[in-house]
Amino acid sequence: AGALLLSPEVDGMADLFRPGEHYVPYGDPAEIPALVERYLADEDARARIAQAGREEVWTRHTYDLRMKSLLDAI
């Protein structure tokens, strides 16, 4: 959607996206308020990470690309 993604640390997520470059991970929900404050105050970082995440999705993680990789594997 083009917005900054704050995400809990999920197994395998870092295999698909680079933490801090494509999204912002957190280990404990108590970290969320500080992360929100940080990225609300830093519009450039927020926009940069959001845009990089969006570009990564459109470049490597669309349904068409997933289906192609599945069909290639068959």
Side-chain angles (χ1 to χ4, degrees), residues 3-31:
L4 176 69
L5 174 65
L6 297 179
S7 174
E9 293 176 350
V10 177
D11 288 343
M13 182 87 151
D15 296 336
L16 300 172
F17 301 98
R18 288 186 293 277
E21 184 176 338
H22 296 135
Y23 73 103
V24 176
Y26 59 87
D28 182 334
E31 298 173 51

